[in-house]
Amino acid sequence: MSNADRTFVYTAQPSRVVFGRGSLGRLADEVKAVGAQKALVLCTPEQRKQAQVAADLLGPLSVGIYDGAQMHVPIESARKAREYSRSLGADCMVAIGGGSTIGLGKAIALESTVPIIAVPTTYAGSEMTPIYGITEDNVKKTGRDLRVLPKTVLYDPDLSATLPVRMSMVSGMNAIAHAAEGLYAKDGNPVMSLMAEEGIRALATGMRGVFAQAGDMQARSDCLYGAWLCGSVLGHVGMALHHKLCHTLGGTFNLPHAETHTIVLPHALAYNTQAAPEAMQRVARAIGASSAAAGLFDLAKDLGAPTALRDIGFKESDIEVALKVAMSNPYWNPEPIVEDAVRELLRNAWEGRRPSV
């Protein structure tokens, strides 16, 4: 958006953010603050230990743990969780984990209007958005509803200390994708652009620090701070081609969410480079590179993250299927969506070719 054409509408999302090391200790107070007395702690099977810590901190305010969160929120798992929550009379969800767990909390809130307190342990950013996604019959459907926006988000960098380095890198790239697309969103605004650039800068700095030393808590804090900003951007403005392709690849082929974002992002930015020059300048400046698309590809490579779809289980023969699904209901995009150009984007991402912009 150029300064000469500064016309925008900005509506802030209501949410309470508690940030800082040790802030998980305030969980019981935050549950009481939303007027709840029976909190159900949600997690994936792998994060049961962290969920148990949260349940112990809640004491009598906890009605137990549900550890059935799954990637891409399959409709069956959402229904099962809703029934379990109802049977316990839960009046609050504490979602501790990444996008899968927070997504499950949202799926429950969508039908029950029970408040969510999110405790993110990755850099997914979902906790700052009223966006939900549910996968049914291999198609991931997304929507926006303020009922699913967490009432409170507790950001405790100590909880991300055990996030494996590889997962930290792809989770951080996933967050950068939200901010990058927010910079050229149809409904973008100057406040979101400031948050987007600062979020990308904080994540790029933090990820390099975590990659160099996994236990660097300053770097972990930088990553979580960046994830908060990037998630806020995702919650306030619309997304474009990159997110459409990632939803297609995740929902239809069950590819891992963060890895898919990491691989596709440089190619989606290359696609939009001519149409959104100011956004690309901001991304490049934030990561300390001369090109947004090539710079993010190089950053992913330097951090040991995957750079080719074929390396995460996507077959060459799937390109045409993905193209058909993505083209059937395209998102708005600054550069017009042209089938041959999107096919080339997918092929480049499948091969892991460095974008030449």
Side-chain angles (χ1 to χ4, degrees):
M1 185 194 300
S2 69
N3 288 332
D5 179 32
R6 208 180 276 297
T7 307
F8 62 88
V9 174
Y10 169 54
T11 306
Q13 309 281 13
S15 74
R16 173 176 164 82
V17 172
V18 180
F19 194 104
R21 294 186 68 180
S23 56
L24 183 65
R26 297 174 58 168
L27 183 58
D29 289 340
E30 297 300 330
V31 166
K32 286 177 194 159
V34 297
Q37 295 169 320
K38 293 182 167 187
L40 177 63
V41 181
L42 307 174
C43 65
T44 59
E46 297 79 20
Q47 285 191 288
R48 175 126 197 153
K49 209 170 162 184
Q50 277 184 323
Q52 191 60 58
V53 172
D56 292 345
L57 282 167
L58 288 170
L61 292 171
S62 164
V63 291
I65 295 170
Y66 181 81
D67 65 1
Q70 286 174 268
M71 193 169 68
H72 306 305
V73 195
I75 187 104
E76 305 76 32
S77 82
R79 283 178 183 143
K80 207 190 255 181
R82 280 177 194 148
E83 279 162 28
Y84 185 70
S85 150
R86 211 171 283 141
S87 72
L88 296 172
D91 59 2
C92 172
M93 299 293 135
V94 173
I96 184 162
S100 301
T101 303
I102 291 163
L104 179 62
K106 288 177 171 185
I108 296 170
L110 193 61
E111 291 205 347
S112 63
T113 66
V114 166
I116 305 167
I117 293 177
V119 186
T121 59
T122 72
Y123 311 130
S126 168
E127 65 281 354
M128 291 308 299
T129 81
I131 301 166
Y132 62 89
I134 295 172
T135 301
E136 187 171 10
D137 299 330
N138 285 337
V139 178
K140 188 170 186 176
K141 297 185 178 116
T142 61
R144 280 175 180 261
D145 193 313
L146 270 178
R147 286 178 300 174
V148 309
L149 181 73
K151 291 281 183 285
T152 302
V153 183
L154 284 175
Y155 284 109
D156 188 338
D158 287 345
L159 297 178
S160 67
T162 54
L163 187 65
V165 171
R166 188 182 176 284
M167 194 62 222
S168 301
M169 298 306 110
V170 293
S171 185
M173 292 296 287
N174 176 24
I176 285 174
H178 308 327
E181 288 228 299
L183 283 166
Y184 51 66
K186 183 168 58 170
D187 53 354
N189 63 70
V191 177
M192 286 304 114
S193 293
L194 285 169
M195 291 177 99
E197 187 174 344
E198 171 66 358
I200 295 170
R201 185 206 60 75
L203 271 158
T205 304
M207 287 157 68
R208 288 178 179 122
V210 170
F211 187 72
Q213 192 186 334
D216 181 341
M217 287 313 296
Q218 181 56 54
R220 292 276 181 191
S221 287
D222 284 343
C223 285
L224 208 52
Y225 165 68
W228 164 51
L229 293 173
C230 293
S232 296
V233 174
L234 176 67
H236 282 85
V237 299
M239 296 287 116
L241 176 64
H242 167 78
H243 279 75
K244 178 64 190 182
L245 291 176
C246 290
H247 286 152
T248 299
L249 294 166
T252 307
F253 303 98
N254 204 33
L255 296 183
H257 182 85
E259 286 85 345
T260 304
H261 276 275
T262 302
I263 295 164
V264 172
L265 182 61
H267 303 284
L269 292 190
Y271 189 100
N272 285 321
T273 291
Q274 300 302 321
E278 195 181 325
M280 299 307 157
Q281 283 170 1
R282 280 180 175 263
V283 174
R285 184 167 63 206
I287 63 174
S290 56
S291 151
L296 280 170
F297 182 90
D298 294 342
L299 179 64
K301 206 169 182 184
D302 291 347
L303 298 174
T307 53
L309 288 174
R310 61 176 163 196
D311 293 341
I312 61 165
F314 186 68
K315 300 190 206 65
E316 188 175 9
S317 57
D318 291 335
I319 291 174
E320 289 304 315
V321 185
L323 183 66
K324 196 176 170 191
V325 176
M327 295 298 292
S328 68
N329 178 25
Y331 291 3
W332 176 89
N333 194 63
E335 181 72 27
I337 305 282
V338 177
E339 188 168 326
D340 286 346
V342 177
R343 181 184 286 112
E344 189 186 352
L345 185 167
L346 285 167
R347 177 160 294 283
N348 288 341
W350 178 77
E351 285 178 13
R353 184 180 294 174
R354 182 179 188 264
S356 54
V357 179

